[in-house]
C-alpha cells in the first residue's frame, strides 16, 4: 500500500518548486473556492497540508463551480510554479499550484456548523459535538500528528532499552487509589462489579514478580473524579516498571526519552541531566511540588527575622510552630492600592486570612538601611527597624519592588505563596515562553496526616518503598519518614511520578498497618499482591507519565481536551455520542440493577 492510497499519487502538502511539471493525482477536502473570470481556484486539503488547485479546462471549470466547502474531490493535473508575485508565504506549498485537467467529486458535504479554520469562535461544546469536523482544522490536525509522533518515539526508545510492551486488564477489581473507580456490573455474577483501572500499578508489579523485568505500556486509565482543564475521566499514560534498578536508572532512562522526544518532534535540544530538588527544598523555595523554575522570585522564610516580633499575625504564626514567608515582586511598587487589595482577595479565595504587603522606597537618609530603602506597609509601624532591614536583606528587595508576606501553618502558607508567585509572574509577564525547564522532585515524605480521618495517608501510594534509613523505624516517626519517590515536573506542570516499590511482603504489611488497613482488609483488597510478594519478588520500581499532558505541553495547548481525539467536557459528557446515556430496563435487569427516581437518591 502506498503512503497515499491507490486513489492518489501524492499528498497535497508535500508539493514544492522542484515538482514543477510533474503529473499528480490528489484527493482531499475543498477548503475554500474562488472564482476569477475564466478561472476557478480552490484549496485542496488532506492530512499532509494544503495546495492551491486551478481549473482551466471547461470540464474542470464546470465541476469546480459546483464545489462547496468540505466536498471530497479527486484532482488530476500538473504541478507548476505560480506566476511571479502570486506566491503564498503562509503555505508550505505556496510557490506552486496544480493545474487540474480533471476534477471528480467523490462526496458532497452539508455546510459545516462552524468554519474549519485555525481561529474559530464556535462554542467548545459545538466543536466537540462535531469533533470529526473540528479535527479537520489544521491546528487540531497538527496536534494529532504530534501525538502520533510522540507515541512512536516512546515505543522506539523503550524497545531500544529492552522494555516489553505488555497489556494489562481493563476489567479488574476495585482498589483504593485516591479517586473513585468507574464500576462495571457483572452479568454472570449479579451483585458483583469490575472496576476500570485507575492505573496498571498492581499488575505491573506482578509482572516484575513474573520475571518480565522490563515492562512498558501506553495504557488507558479511568478515574471518576471532578474534572478540570487538566483532568479527564479517561486518559492515557506511559506506564513503566523495571527490576533490579535504582532511582538513577529511572532518571537516566526518562531523561533520554524526553531529550529524544524534544529533538525529534520539536527540534529542540534539552540540556541533560535535569536538575533535582528535594521535596522539602521545592516547597521552601517555590511553594510547589511541581515548581516553575523558568523565573526567579523564590520564596524567603523570615522566621529568624521575626523571631521576637510584636507584629501580631507573624508572632501568632511563629508561636504556633508555623512560618512567615515573603515574596519579592520586582518593580511591583508601582501597583495601585486596588491591585494590592486584589492580591489580598486572591489569598482569601485560597483559604488564607489575608496577605500582607509593603513597597520598598528610597530611604530619606542616604545612609539609612544600608542604602536598600525603607518599607511602606500597613504593618510598618509595628515592625522594628532591624526587622525591616532583615526583610530587605533576606528578600533582596530594592527601591521600587513590592514585598508580600504570608503567615500561618507552614505547608499551607508555602502553597499559598507558591500560587501567588506564579500568578504574579503571569500577570507581569515574567515567565519566558521559550524555555523548557524540567526538574526532578525527590525524597518525598512517606506519609501525610489526614486530620479529618485522624490517620496517615500515603503521600504517593501505599506501594512506595521507604528510604533505606527508614526501613527499620517507620513506626517510630511516620511523619518524618521519607520515601523513594520522585516526580518529573516541566514548567510548573507535573508530567509524571513514580517510586521504587516495596518488594518484601512484611514491609508492605507494615505500611498497610500504618495506613489503618488491617489484616482482613489487606487480604480482601490486596491479597493477590501480597501473595505475589511471597514468591521471590525482585527489587523494582517505575514511573507513569500522563501522555495527554505531555502532548498538551509540547503542542502549546491550554487544556487536555485540545490533544485528546474525542474528549469529554468538564461535566464528563461526550457531546458527540451524547454519553453517558440511560439504558433500557432489559439491559439493567440482565446485570441485576435498576435505577431509582431522582427523588429516591440519597
Amino acid at each position: 500500500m502506498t503512503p497515499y492510497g491507490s486513489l492518489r499519487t501524492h499528498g497535497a502538502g508535500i508539493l514544492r518548486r522542484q515538482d514543477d511539471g510533474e503529473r499528480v493525482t490528489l484527493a482531499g477536502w475543498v477548503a475554500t473556492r474562488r472564482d476569477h473570470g475564466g478561472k476557478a481556484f480552490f484549496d485542496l486539503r488532506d492530512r499532509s497540508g494544503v495546495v492551491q488547485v486551478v481549473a482551466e479546462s471547461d470540464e474542470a471549470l464546470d465541476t469546480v463551480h459546483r464545489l462547496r466547502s468540505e466536498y471530497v474531490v479527486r484532482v488530476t493535473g500538473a504541478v507548476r510554479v505560480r506566476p511571479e508575485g502570486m506566491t503564498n508565504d503562509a503555505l508550505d506549498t505556496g510557490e506552486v499550484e496544480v493545474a487540474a485537467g480533471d476534477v471528480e467529486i467523490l462526496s458532497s458535504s452539508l455546510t459545516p456548523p462552524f468554519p474549519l479554520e485555525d481561529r474559530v469562535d464556535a462554542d467548545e461544546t459545538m466543536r466537540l459535538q462535531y469533533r470529526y469536523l473540528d479535527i479537520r482544522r489544521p491546528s487540531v490536525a497538527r496536534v494529532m500528528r504530534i501525538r502520533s509522533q510522540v507515541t512512536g518515539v516512546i515505543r522506539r526508545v523503550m524497545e531500544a532499552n529492552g522494555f516489553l510492551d505488555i497489556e494489562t486488564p481493563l476489567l479488574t477489581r476495585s482498589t483504593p487509589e485516591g479517586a473513585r473507580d468507574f464500576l462495571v456490573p457483572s452479568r454472570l455474577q449479579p451483585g458483583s462489579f469490575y472496576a476500570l483501572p485507575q492505573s496498571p500499578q498492581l499488575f505491573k508489579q506482578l509482572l516484575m514478580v513474573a520475571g518480565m523485568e522490563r515492562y512498558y505500556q501506553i495504557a488507558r486509565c479511568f478515574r471518576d473524579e471532578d474534572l478540570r482543564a487538566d483532568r479527564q475521566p479517561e486518559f492515557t499514560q506511559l506506564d513503566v516498571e523495571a527490576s533490579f534498578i535504582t532511582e538513577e536508572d529511572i532518571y537516566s532512562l526518562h531523561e533520554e526519552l524526553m531529550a529524544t522526544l524534544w529533538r525529534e518532534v520539536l527540534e529542540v535540544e534539552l540540556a541533560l541531566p535535569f536538575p533535582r530538588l528535594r521535596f522539602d527544598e521545592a516547597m521552601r523555595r517555590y511553594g510547589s511540588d511541581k515548581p516553575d523554575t523558568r523565573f526567579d522570585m523564590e520564596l524567603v522564610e523570615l522566621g529568624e527575622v521575626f523571631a521576637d516580633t510584636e507584629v501580631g499575625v507573624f508572632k501568632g504564626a511563629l508561636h504556633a510552630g508555623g512560618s512567615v514567608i515573603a515574596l519579592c515582586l520586582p518593580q511591583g511598587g508601582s501597583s495601585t492600592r486596588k491591585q494590592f487589595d486584589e492580591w489580598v482577595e486572591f489569598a482569601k479565595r485560597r483559604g488564607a486570612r489575608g496577605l500582607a504587603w509593603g513597597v520598598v522606597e528610597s530611604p530619606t537618609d542616604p545612609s539609612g538601611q544600608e542604602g536598600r530603602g525603607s518599607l511602606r506597609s500597613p504593618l510598618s509601624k509595628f515592625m522594628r527597624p532591624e526587622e525591616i532591614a532583615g526583610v530587605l536583606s533576606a528578600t533582596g528587595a530594592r527601591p521600587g519592588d513590592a514585598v508580600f508576606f504570608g503567615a500561618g501553618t507552614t505547608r499551607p502558607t508555602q502553597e499559598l505563596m507558591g500560587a501567588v508567585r506564579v500568578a504574579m509572574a503571569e500577570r507581569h509577564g515574567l515567565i519566558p515562553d521559550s524555555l523548557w525547564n524540567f526538574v526532578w522532585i525527590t525524597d518525598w515524605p512517606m506519609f501525610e496526616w489526614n486530620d479529618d480521618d485522624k490517620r496517615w495517608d500515603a503521600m504517593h501510594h501505599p506501594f512506595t518503598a521507604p528510604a533505606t534509613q527508614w526501613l527499620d523505624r517507620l513506626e517510630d516517626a511516620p511523619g518524618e519518614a521519607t520515601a523513594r519517590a520522585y516526580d518529573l515536573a516541566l514548567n510548573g506542570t507535573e508530567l509524571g511520578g513514580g517510586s521504587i516499590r516495596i518488594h518484601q511482603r512484611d514491609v508492605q504489611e507494615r505500611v498497610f498497618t500504618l495506613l489503618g488497613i488491617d489484616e482482613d482488609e489487606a487480604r480482601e483488597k490486596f491479597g493477590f499482591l501480597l501473595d505475589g510478594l511471597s514468591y521471590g519478588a525482585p527489587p523494582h520500581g517505575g514511573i507513569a507519565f500522563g501522555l495527554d499532558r505531555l502532548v498538551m505541553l509540547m503542542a502549546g495547548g491550554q487544556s487536555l481536551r485540545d490533544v485528546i481525539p474525542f474528549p469529554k467536557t468538564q461535566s464528563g459528557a461526550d457531546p458527540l455520542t451524547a454519553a453517558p446515556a440511560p439504558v433500557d430496563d432489559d439491559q439493567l435487569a440482565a446485570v441485576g440493577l435498576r435505577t431509582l427516581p431522582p427523588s429516591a437518591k440519597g
Side-chain angles (χ1 to χ4, degrees):
M1 177 174 160
T2 68
Y4 305 106
S6 300
L7 293 183
R8 56 188 174 181
T9 60
H10 294 71
I14 70 167
L15 300 177
R16 299 292 187 270
R17 175 181 286 270
Q18 57 266 31
D19 298 309
D20 184 28
E22 183 161 357
R23 189 163 183 81
V24 297
T25 298
L26 308 177
W29 288 263
V30 175
T32 59
R33 195 200 75 192
R34 305 171 296 282
D35 292 327
H36 295 289
K39 292 185 179 180
F41 300 83
F42 67 92
D43 289 339
L44 179 70
R45 180 186 69 242
D46 65 12
R47 194 183 76 177
S48 66
V50 177
V51 70
Q52 177 174 281
V53 177
V54 55
E56 296 176 323
S57 70
D58 290 342
E59 183 179 357
L61 277 170
D62 180 63
T63 303
V64 170
H65 286 317
R66 293 186 284 123
L67 297 182
R68 298 291 180 268
S69 176
E70 301 310 310
Y71 273 38
V72 182
V73 298
R74 185 169 183 246
V75 171
T76 300
V79 179
R80 69 185 183 192
V81 175
R82 293 198 196 191
E84 189 72 27
M86 300 297 288
T87 59
N88 183 351
D89 293 338
L91 293 178
D92 292 336
T93 59
E95 289 188 312
V96 299
E97 61 188 10
V98 175
D102 181 62
V103 178
E104 176 187 359
I105 297 175
L106 301 177
S107 179
S108 62
S109 173
L110 298 174
T111 301
F114 50 84
L116 304 190
E117 301 168 354
D118 278 347
R119 294 186 178 182
V120 60
D121 295 328
D123 172 76
E124 183 183 50
T125 301
M126 170 73 76
R127 291 193 291 106
L128 295 184
Q129 181 181 351
Y130 296 93
R131 182 63 164 172
Y132 45 84
L133 296 179
D134 193 43
I135 292 175
R136 289 186 195 173
R137 295 193 298 122
S139 59
V140 184
R142 167 184 166 270
V143 172
M144 296 302 127
R145 289 194 295 272
I146 289 176
R147 187 180 180 109
S148 179
Q149 284 180 276
V150 166
T151 57
V153 171
I154 287 172
R155 294 188 186 283
R156 291 200 304 275
V157 171
M158 298 308 294
E159 289 166 13
N161 281 277
F163 283 79
L164 303 179
D165 182 0
I166 303 176
E167 292 181 337
T168 54
L170 289 182
L171 293 176
T172 181
R173 67 166 294 137
S174 181
T175 57
E177 288 202 40
R180 288 182 295 271
D181 289 321
F182 280 103
L183 301 178
V184 180
S186 169
R187 179 181 61 84
L188 299 177
Q189 299 183 45
S192 294
F193 295 83
Y194 299 104
L196 300 180
Q198 295 184 37
S199 82
Q201 179 64 44
L202 300 183
F203 290 106
K204 67 181 181 180
Q205 288 191 242
L206 292 174
L207 284 169
M208 298 303 101
V209 177
M212 292 294 95
E213 295 195 12
R214 293 197 164 202
Y215 143 96
Y216 87 99
Q217 183 181 189
I218 296 177
R220 297 292 285 171
C221 303
F222 307 84
R223 290 179 185 171
D224 187 8
E225 59 185 350
D226 296 334
L227 304 183
R228 304 193 300 270
D230 63 345
R231 291 285 189 272
Q232 282 279 297
E234 55 178 323
F235 57 96
T236 305
Q237 68 182 36
L238 168 61
D239 204 52
V240 178
E241 199 79 6
S243 297
F244 308 112
I245 63 165
T246 68
E247 293 88 335
E248 295 299 328
D249 297 293
I250 293 291
Y251 300 154
S252 62
L253 170 67
H254 290 87
E255 287 173 3
E256 175 193 347
L257 174 60
M258 295 302 151
T260 307
L261 281 170
W262 259 252
R263 182 186 309 115
E264 295 193 13
V265 178
L266 299 182
E267 299 182 346
V268 170
E269 288 293 334
L270 299 178
L272 300 181
F274 298 154
R276 302 176 193 177
L277 286 173
R278 288 174 53 93
F279 172 86
D280 55 2
E281 182 184 2
M283 295 302 299
R284 176 175 56 81
R285 292 172 58 185
Y286 301 102
S288 173
D289 57 23
K290 45 183 182 296
D292 192 336
T293 61
R294 289 175 294 174
F295 62 101
D296 294 325
M297 289 178 62
E298 293 188 15
L299 309 186
V300 179
E301 169 62 56
L302 296 179
E304 292 186 7
V305 172
F306 291 109
D308 300 314
T309 190
E310 292 303 318
V311 179
V313 64
F314 297 168
K315 182 177 182 179
L318 294 173
H319 283 191
S323 297
V324 177
I325 298 173
L327 173 68
C328 176
L329 176 62
Q331 297 304 303
S334 60
S335 301
T336 65
R337 180 57 187 260
K338 178 182 177 183
Q339 289 170 324
F340 283 115
D341 289 342
E342 287 174 350
W343 289 118
V344 174
E345 291 304 313
F346 178 95
K348 289 181 177 179
R349 288 195 300 272
R350 280 155 180 78
R353 295 176 61 185
L355 190 69
W357 56 270
V359 173
V360 184
E361 298 181 326
S362 296
T364 54
D365 179 354
S367 64
Q369 311 293 328
E370 299 181 348
R372 285 187 176 276
S374 59
L375 190 68
R376 173 172 55 85
S377 167
L379 297 180
S380 293
K381 59 185 176 181
F382 304 108
M383 294 185 191
R384 297 193 295 269
E386 59 268 27
E387 290 175 340
I388 293 176
V391 168
L392 300 183
S393 176
T395 60
R398 310 295 299 182
D401 295 345
V403 180
F404 294 82
F405 304 88
T409 305
T410 299
R411 181 69 60 77
T413 304
Q414 290 173 332
E415 292 172 347
L416 166 68
M417 298 304 287
V420 170
R421 171 183 179 267
V422 172
M424 285 182 175
E426 289 174 343
R427 180 174 297 183
H428 290 271
L430 302 178
I431 305 178
D433 291 331
S434 58
L435 296 181
W436 299 101
N437 279 25
F438 291 82
V439 58
W440 288 104
I441 307 301
T442 69
D443 299 280
W444 286 67
M446 185 76 181
F447 306 105
E448 58 182 343
W449 182 249
N450 184 326
D451 203 44
D452 292 334
D453 297 336
K454 306 302 179 187
R455 62 177 176 81
W456 292 106
D457 287 340
M459 192 73 166
H460 255 61
H461 58 54
F463 320 109
T464 298
T468 304
Q469 65 269 29
W470 284 97
L471 262 177
D472 297 326
R473 53 193 184 99
L474 270 182
E475 292 80 1
D476 296 342
E480 299 176 20
T482 54
R484 298 181 67 181
Y486 35 79
D487 276 10
L488 183 60
L490 170 61
N491 294 354
T493 297
E494 177 196 338
L495 280 184
S499 65
I500 301 300
R501 321 301 187 189
I502 297 169
H503 72 282
Q504 297 158 314
R505 177 171 180 152
D506 64 317
V507 177
Q508 185 65 77
E509 289 174 331
R510 287 169 56 204
V511 169
F512 284 159
T513 299
L514 277 168
L515 295 173
I517 301 173
D518 62 28
E519 185 176 349
D520 290 340
E521 184 181 1
R523 181 75 242 169
E524 178 191 353
K525 294 181 176 177
F526 305 107
F528 61 96
L529 173 67
L530 294 173
D531 289 344
L533 296 180
S534 304
Y535 288 93
H540 61 279
I543 196 167
F545 286 97
L547 183 69
D548 309 304
R549 192 172 300 174
L550 178 67
V551 175
M552 179 184 75
L553 292 172
M554 295 183 75
Q558 300 299 313
S559 164
L560 292 186
R561 295 188 296 278
D562 295 337
V563 302
I564 296 174
F566 298 100
K568 307 293 188 293
T569 65
Q570 285 191 320
S571 66
D574 179 357
L576 176 67
T577 64
V583 297
D584 62 44
D585 291 341
D586 289 342
Q587 289 177 282
L588 289 173
V591 293
L593 296 178
R594 64 185 178 88
T595 58
L596 296 174
S599 60
K601 296 177 181 177

